[in-house]
Amino acid sequence: MLLSGCSIEGFGKAFGNFGWPSRGVSLQAHKMYDLWIASVIAALIVGIFVWGLIFWCVIRYRKRGDELPVQTRFNMPMEVLYTVTPILIVAVLFYYTAIVQTDVDKLSKNPDQIVQVTAFKWQWEFDYRDGMGKDANTVASTVGSADVIPLLVLPVGEKIRFEETSKDVIHSFWVPEMLFKRDVFPGSARNVFEATLDKEGRYVGRCAELCGTYHAFMQFELVAVSKDKFDTYLTAKKGGATTQEAMAQIGFTGKEAYAVTTVPLNTRRQASGWNQSNTVAAGK
Ligand SMILES: [Cu+2]
């Protein structure tokens, strides 16, 4: 009866989400979060039960004399218990993990939005596409630079298909608040995943695969907005507006037209650039 007032989310929040940043901002993230918290609860129950048994044994069977008890009593049932119990635990965890993973990896036939994520050393390009696959056309595009963090503006409540490709090495697309990352491969390997955002907001994104000297520069920002705002944004982009001009059209003006969750890292091009005659080598 006491437990009926609890929710997995409430329990997770009370304990700092057990290491996750939040419950996430997509439907897929919520499922992974719930699986994680439920697994922790199961682990705690097993843990408390085992600690109980240990302390009970320590007290109940403490030393009573110098005579050694029989060393093999109950050894067969114990061995069986030691084998069967972990298999059961793993089987249950595997079952729920498989369900959530299948769901997170599920691709639909008709996604509402298709965005191609192109990673390169050391920036991101986001292309809004008119269809699926590498032969579809780009209808609007945003590319980051050393001075401007690229924004990935997407609608909430719609199935978004992310198609990933890299121009050089392996990178990894990661929005911590989506509780999800996926490697971005060069060549013909095209990683695809789908997500449905359900919380408007601005979330930092990063490259999660060490890809070279300026790996840490590979940041972007996911801007989750309402469907109406997204349509306005995309129409403006299609009409030739810059990302910042299009952002202004949906109410993000001034500084808000740029990333708010992160800033470009200092390239120190002037201070430590190569091939410049009047500079000092880095480290001097
Ligand atoms: Cu990278």
Side-chain angles (χ1 to χ4, degrees), residues 119-120 122 124 170-172 207-211 215 218:
F120 58 95
W122 284 277
W124 299 94
I170 300 175
H171 301 269
S172 185
C207 177
E209 182 73 59
L210 181 57
C211 55
H215 161 65
M218 284 190 66

mmCIF file with all atom_site columns, all heavy atoms in Angstrom, residues 119-120 122 124 170-172 207-211 215 218, ligand 1:
data_model
loop_
_atom_site.group_PDB
_atom_site.id
_atom_site.type_symbol
_atom_site.label_atom_id
_atom_site.label_alt_id
_atom_site.label_comp_id
_atom_site.label_asym_id
_atom_site.label_entity_id
_atom_site.label_seq_id
_atom_site.pdbx_PDB_ins_code
_atom_site.Cartn_x
_atom_site.Cartn_y
_atom_site.Cartn_z
_atom_site.occupancy
_atom_site.B_iso_or_equiv
_atom_site.pdbx_formal_charge
_atom_site.auth_seq_id
_atom_site.auth_comp_id
_atom_site.auth_asym_id
_atom_site.auth_atom_id
_atom_site.pdbx_PDB_model_num
ATOM   1   N  N   . ALA A 1 119 ? 29.124 14.155 -39.883 1.00 0.00 ? 119 ALA A N   1
ATOM   2   C  CA  . ALA A 1 119 ? 30.217 14.536 -38.992 1.00 0.00 ? 119 ALA A CA  1
ATOM   3   C  C   . ALA A 1 119 ? 31.499 14.630 -39.801 1.00 0.00 ? 119 ALA A C   1
ATOM   4   O  O   . ALA A 1 119 ? 31.695 13.890 -40.757 1.00 0.00 ? 119 ALA A O   1
ATOM   5   C  CB  . ALA A 1 119 ? 30.366 13.506 -37.886 1.00 0.00 ? 119 ALA A CB  1
ATOM   6   N  N   . PHE A 1 120 ? 32.323 15.576 -39.446 1.00 0.00 ? 120 PHE A N   1
ATOM   7   C  CA  . PHE A 1 120 ? 33.654 15.658 -40.071 1.00 0.00 ? 120 PHE A CA  1
ATOM   8   C  C   . PHE A 1 120 ? 34.593 16.309 -39.082 1.00 0.00 ? 120 PHE A C   1
ATOM   9   O  O   . PHE A 1 120 ? 34.152 16.925 -38.107 1.00 0.00 ? 120 PHE A O   1
ATOM   10  C  CB  . PHE A 1 120 ? 33.583 16.425 -41.397 1.00 0.00 ? 120 PHE A CB  1
ATOM   11  C  CG  . PHE A 1 120 ? 33.043 17.827 -41.288 1.00 0.00 ? 120 PHE A CG  1
ATOM   12  C  CD1 . PHE A 1 120 ? 33.906 18.914 -41.151 1.00 0.00 ? 120 PHE A CD1 1
ATOM   13  C  CD2 . PHE A 1 120 ? 31.673 18.060 -41.320 1.00 0.00 ? 120 PHE A CD2 1
ATOM   14  C  CE1 . PHE A 1 120 ? 33.402 20.198 -41.050 1.00 0.00 ? 120 PHE A CE1 1
ATOM   15  C  CE2 . PHE A 1 120 ? 31.163 19.348 -41.213 1.00 0.00 ? 120 PHE A CE2 1
ATOM   16  C  CZ  . PHE A 1 120 ? 32.039 20.430 -41.078 1.00 0.00 ? 120 PHE A CZ  1
ATOM   17  N  N   . TRP A 1 122 ? 36.349 19.101 -37.658 1.00 0.00 ? 122 TRP A N   1
ATOM   18  C  CA  . TRP A 1 122 ? 35.756 18.742 -36.397 1.00 0.00 ? 122 TRP A CA  1
ATOM   19  C  C   . TRP A 1 122 ? 34.497 19.557 -36.225 1.00 0.00 ? 122 TRP A C   1
ATOM   20  O  O   . TRP A 1 122 ? 34.465 20.483 -35.434 1.00 0.00 ? 122 TRP A O   1
ATOM   21  C  CB  . TRP A 1 122 ? 36.747 19.017 -35.255 1.00 0.00 ? 122 TRP A CB  1
ATOM   22  C  CG  . TRP A 1 122 ? 37.831 17.992 -35.172 1.00 0.00 ? 122 TRP A CG  1
ATOM   23  C  CD1 . TRP A 1 122 ? 37.739 16.775 -34.544 1.00 0.00 ? 122 TRP A CD1 1
ATOM   24  C  CD2 . TRP A 1 122 ? 39.161 18.040 -35.697 1.00 0.00 ? 122 TRP A CD2 1
ATOM   25  N  NE1 . TRP A 1 122 ? 38.942 16.068 -34.659 1.00 0.00 ? 122 TRP A NE1 1
ATOM   26  C  CE2 . TRP A 1 122 ? 39.814 16.828 -35.370 1.00 0.00 ? 122 TRP A CE2 1
ATOM   27  C  CE3 . TRP A 1 122 ? 39.856 18.975 -36.452 1.00 0.00 ? 122 TRP A CE3 1
ATOM   28  C  CZ2 . TRP A 1 122 ? 41.128 16.545 -35.740 1.00 0.00 ? 122 TRP A CZ2 1
ATOM   29  C  CZ3 . TRP A 1 122 ? 41.158 18.690 -36.829 1.00 0.00 ? 122 TRP A CZ3 1
ATOM   30  C  CH2 . TRP A 1 122 ? 41.780 17.479 -36.467 1.00 0.00 ? 122 TRP A CH2 1
ATOM   31  N  N   . TRP A 1 124 ? 29.886 19.564 -37.260 1.00 0.00 ? 124 TRP A N   1
ATOM   32  C  CA  . TRP A 1 124 ? 28.676 18.834 -37.645 1.00 0.00 ? 124 TRP A CA  1
ATOM   33  C  C   . TRP A 1 124 ? 27.942 19.585 -38.745 1.00 0.00 ? 124 TRP A C   1
ATOM   34  O  O   . TRP A 1 124 ? 27.939 20.804 -38.781 1.00 0.00 ? 124 TRP A O   1
ATOM   35  C  CB  . TRP A 1 124 ? 27.728 18.708 -36.454 1.00 0.00 ? 124 TRP A CB  1
ATOM   36  C  CG  . TRP A 1 124 ? 28.277 17.978 -35.293 1.00 0.00 ? 124 TRP A CG  1
ATOM   37  C  CD1 . TRP A 1 124 ? 28.911 18.544 -34.211 1.00 0.00 ? 124 TRP A CD1 1
ATOM   38  C  CD2 . TRP A 1 124 ? 28.259 16.571 -35.055 1.00 0.00 ? 124 TRP A CD2 1
ATOM   39  N  NE1 . TRP A 1 124 ? 29.278 17.555 -33.327 1.00 0.00 ? 124 TRP A NE1 1
ATOM   40  C  CE2 . TRP A 1 124 ? 28.894 16.343 -33.817 1.00 0.00 ? 124 TRP A CE2 1
ATOM   41  C  CE3 . TRP A 1 124 ? 27.767 15.476 -35.771 1.00 0.00 ? 124 TRP A CE3 1
ATOM   42  C  CZ2 . TRP A 1 124 ? 29.047 15.069 -33.285 1.00 0.00 ? 124 TRP A CZ2 1
ATOM   43  C  CZ3 . TRP A 1 124 ? 27.922 14.214 -35.229 1.00 0.00 ? 124 TRP A CZ3 1
ATOM   44  C  CH2 . TRP A 1 124 ? 28.558 14.018 -33.995 1.00 0.00 ? 124 TRP A CH2 1
ATOM   45  N  N   . ILE A 1 170 ? 35.598 7.887  -37.574 1.00 0.00 ? 170 ILE A N   1
ATOM   46  C  CA  . ILE A 1 170 ? 34.397 7.563  -36.800 1.00 0.00 ? 170 ILE A CA  1
ATOM   47  C  C   . ILE A 1 170 ? 34.158 8.635  -35.735 1.00 0.00 ? 170 ILE A C   1
ATOM   48  O  O   . ILE A 1 170 ? 35.044 8.951  -34.960 1.00 0.00 ? 170 ILE A O   1
ATOM   49  C  CB  . ILE A 1 170 ? 34.520 6.174  -36.135 1.00 0.00 ? 170 ILE A CB  1
ATOM   50  C  CG1 . ILE A 1 170 ? 34.720 5.090  -37.194 1.00 0.00 ? 170 ILE A CG1 1
ATOM   51  C  CG2 . ILE A 1 170 ? 33.284 5.871  -35.297 1.00 0.00 ? 170 ILE A CG2 1
ATOM   52  C  CD1 . ILE A 1 170 ? 34.962 3.705  -36.599 1.00 0.00 ? 170 ILE A CD1 1
ATOM   53  N  N   . HIS A 1 171 ? 32.974 9.210  -35.749 1.00 0.00 ? 171 HIS A N   1
ATOM   54  C  CA  . HIS A 1 171 ? 32.543 10.138 -34.705 1.00 0.00 ? 171 HIS A CA  1
ATOM   55  C  C   . HIS A 1 171 ? 31.360 9.486  -33.986 1.00 0.00 ? 171 HIS A C   1
ATOM   56  O  O   . HIS A 1 171 ? 30.965 8.366  -34.323 1.00 0.00 ? 171 HIS A O   1
ATOM   57  C  CB  . HIS A 1 171 ? 32.110 11.474 -35.311 1.00 0.00 ? 171 HIS A CB  1
ATOM   58  C  CG  . HIS A 1 171 ? 33.190 12.160 -36.105 1.00 0.00 ? 171 HIS A CG  1
ATOM   59  N  ND1 . HIS A 1 171 ? 34.071 13.052 -35.559 1.00 0.00 ? 171 HIS A ND1 1
ATOM   60  C  CD2 . HIS A 1 171 ? 33.537 12.061 -37.415 1.00 0.00 ? 171 HIS A CD2 1
ATOM   61  C  CE1 . HIS A 1 171 ? 34.911 13.481 -36.490 1.00 0.00 ? 171 HIS A CE1 1
ATOM   62  N  NE2 . HIS A 1 171 ? 34.607 12.901 -37.629 1.00 0.00 ? 171 HIS A NE2 1
ATOM   63  N  N   . SER A 1 172 ? 30.790 10.192 -33.035 1.00 0.00 ? 172 SER A N   1
ATOM   64  C  CA  . SER A 1 172 ? 29.604 9.652  -32.377 1.00 0.00 ? 172 SER A CA  1
ATOM   65  C  C   . SER A 1 172 ? 28.655 10.781 -32.004 1.00 0.00 ? 172 SER A C   1
ATOM   66  O  O   . SER A 1 172 ? 29.050 11.747 -31.352 1.00 0.00 ? 172 SER A O   1
ATOM   67  C  CB  . SER A 1 172 ? 30.002 8.849  -31.133 1.00 0.00 ? 172 SER A CB  1
ATOM   68  O  OG  . SER A 1 172 ? 28.857 8.245  -30.567 1.00 0.00 ? 172 SER A OG  1
ATOM   69  N  N   . CYS A 1 207 ? 30.345 15.202 -29.660 1.00 0.00 ? 207 CYS A N   1
ATOM   70  C  CA  . CYS A 1 207 ? 30.915 14.013 -30.288 1.00 0.00 ? 207 CYS A CA  1
ATOM   71  C  C   . CYS A 1 207 ? 31.410 13.121 -29.149 1.00 0.00 ? 207 CYS A C   1
ATOM   72  O  O   . CYS A 1 207 ? 32.090 13.584 -28.241 1.00 0.00 ? 207 CYS A O   1
ATOM   73  C  CB  . CYS A 1 207 ? 32.062 14.378 -31.213 1.00 0.00 ? 207 CYS A CB  1
ATOM   74  S  SG  . CYS A 1 207 ? 32.847 12.924 -31.942 1.00 0.00 ? 207 CYS A SG  1
ATOM   75  N  N   . ALA A 1 208 ? 31.058 11.841 -29.191 1.00 0.00 ? 208 ALA A N   1
ATOM   76  C  CA  . ALA A 1 208 ? 31.406 10.944 -28.097 1.00 0.00 ? 208 ALA A CA  1
ATOM   77  C  C   . ALA A 1 208 ? 32.419 9.885  -28.525 1.00 0.00 ? 208 ALA A C   1
ATOM   78  O  O   . ALA A 1 208 ? 32.545 8.849  -27.892 1.00 0.00 ? 208 ALA A O   1
ATOM   79  C  CB  . ALA A 1 208 ? 30.143 10.289 -27.542 1.00 0.00 ? 208 ALA A CB  1
ATOM   80  N  N   . GLU A 1 209 ? 33.099 10.142 -29.643 1.00 0.00 ? 209 GLU A N   1
ATOM   81  C  CA  . GLU A 1 209 ? 34.106 9.175  -30.084 1.00 0.00 ? 209 GLU A CA  1
ATOM   82  C  C   . GLU A 1 209 ? 35.383 9.965  -30.354 1.00 0.00 ? 209 GLU A C   1
ATOM   83  O  O   . GLU A 1 209 ? 35.380 10.851 -31.220 1.00 0.00 ? 209 GLU A O   1
ATOM   84  C  CB  . GLU A 1 209 ? 33.636 8.479  -31.366 1.00 0.00 ? 209 GLU A CB  1
ATOM   85  C  CG  . GLU A 1 209 ? 34.584 7.429  -31.895 1.00 0.00 ? 209 GLU A CG  1
ATOM   86  C  CD  . GLU A 1 209 ? 34.575 6.168  -31.055 1.00 0.00 ? 209 GLU A CD  1
ATOM   87  O  OE1 . GLU A 1 209 ? 33.516 5.555  -30.916 1.00 0.00 ? 209 GLU A OE1 1
ATOM   88  O  OE2 . GLU A 1 209 ? 35.642 5.834  -30.504 1.00 0.00 ? 209 GLU A OE2 1
ATOM   89  N  N   . LEU A 1 210 ? 36.442 9.663  -29.618 1.00 0.00 ? 210 LEU A N   1
ATOM   90  C  CA  . LEU A 1 210 ? 37.688 10.422 -29.783 1.00 0.00 ? 210 LEU A CA  1
ATOM   91  C  C   . LEU A 1 210 ? 38.123 10.372 -31.242 1.00 0.00 ? 210 LEU A C   1
ATOM   92  O  O   . LEU A 1 210 ? 38.467 9.319  -31.764 1.00 0.00 ? 210 LEU A O   1
ATOM   93  C  CB  . LEU A 1 210 ? 38.775 9.851  -28.884 1.00 0.00 ? 210 LEU A CB  1
ATOM   94  C  CG  . LEU A 1 210 ? 40.124 10.585 -28.947 1.00 0.00 ? 210 LEU A CG  1
ATOM   95  C  CD1 . LEU A 1 210 ? 39.963 12.054 -28.609 1.00 0.00 ? 210 LEU A CD1 1
ATOM   96  C  CD2 . LEU A 1 210 ? 41.142 9.939  -28.034 1.00 0.00 ? 210 LEU A CD2 1
ATOM   97  N  N   . CYS A 1 211 ? 38.051 11.530 -31.927 1.00 0.00 ? 211 CYS A N   1
ATOM   98  C  CA  . CYS A 1 211 ? 38.208 11.529 -33.379 1.00 0.00 ? 211 CYS A CA  1
ATOM   99  C  C   . CYS A 1 211 ? 39.393 12.351 -33.847 1.00 0.00 ? 211 CYS A C   1
ATOM   100 O  O   . CYS A 1 211 ? 39.607 12.522 -35.029 1.00 0.00 ? 211 CYS A O   1
ATOM   101 C  CB  . CYS A 1 211 ? 36.923 12.034 -34.032 1.00 0.00 ? 211 CYS A CB  1
ATOM   102 S  SG  . CYS A 1 211 ? 36.428 13.658 -33.419 1.00 0.00 ? 211 CYS A SG  1
ATOM   103 N  N   . HIS A 1 215 ? 38.659 17.006 -31.204 1.00 0.00 ? 215 HIS A N   1
ATOM   104 C  CA  . HIS A 1 215 ? 37.458 16.247 -30.845 1.00 0.00 ? 215 HIS A CA  1
ATOM   105 C  C   . HIS A 1 215 ? 36.557 17.047 -29.895 1.00 0.00 ? 215 HIS A C   1
ATOM   106 O  O   . HIS A 1 215 ? 35.336 17.071 -30.058 1.00 0.00 ? 215 HIS A O   1
ATOM   107 C  CB  . HIS A 1 215 ? 37.912 14.935 -30.206 1.00 0.00 ? 215 HIS A CB  1
ATOM   108 C  CG  . HIS A 1 215 ? 36.888 14.224 -29.395 1.00 0.00 ? 215 HIS A CG  1
ATOM   109 N  ND1 . HIS A 1 215 ? 35.737 13.693 -29.947 1.00 0.00 ? 215 HIS A ND1 1
ATOM   110 C  CD2 . HIS A 1 215 ? 36.831 13.947 -28.074 1.00 0.00 ? 215 HIS A CD2 1
ATOM   111 C  CE1 . HIS A 1 215 ? 35.037 13.121 -28.982 1.00 0.00 ? 215 HIS A CE1 1
ATOM   112 N  NE2 . HIS A 1 215 ? 35.664 13.270 -27.853 1.00 0.00 ? 215 HIS A NE2 1
ATOM   113 N  N   . MET A 1 218 ? 33.833 19.496 -31.136 1.00 0.00 ? 218 MET A N   1
ATOM   114 C  CA  . MET A 1 218 ? 32.653 19.022 -31.883 1.00 0.00 ? 218 MET A CA  1
ATOM   115 C  C   . MET A 1 218 ? 31.397 19.052 -31.029 1.00 0.00 ? 218 MET A C   1
ATOM   116 O  O   . MET A 1 218 ? 30.917 18.040 -30.564 1.00 0.00 ? 218 MET A O   1
ATOM   117 C  CB  . MET A 1 218 ? 32.894 17.600 -32.399 1.00 0.00 ? 218 MET A CB  1
ATOM   118 C  CG  . MET A 1 218 ? 33.801 17.581 -33.599 1.00 0.00 ? 218 MET A CG  1
ATOM   119 S  SD  . MET A 1 218 ? 33.866 15.985 -34.384 1.00 0.00 ? 218 MET A SD  1
ATOM   120 C  CE  . MET A 1 218 ? 32.225 15.772 -35.017 1.00 0.00 ? 218 MET A CE  1
HETATM 121 CU CU  . CU  B 2 .   ? 34.173 13.626 -33.589 1.00 0.00 ? 1   CU  B CU  1
#
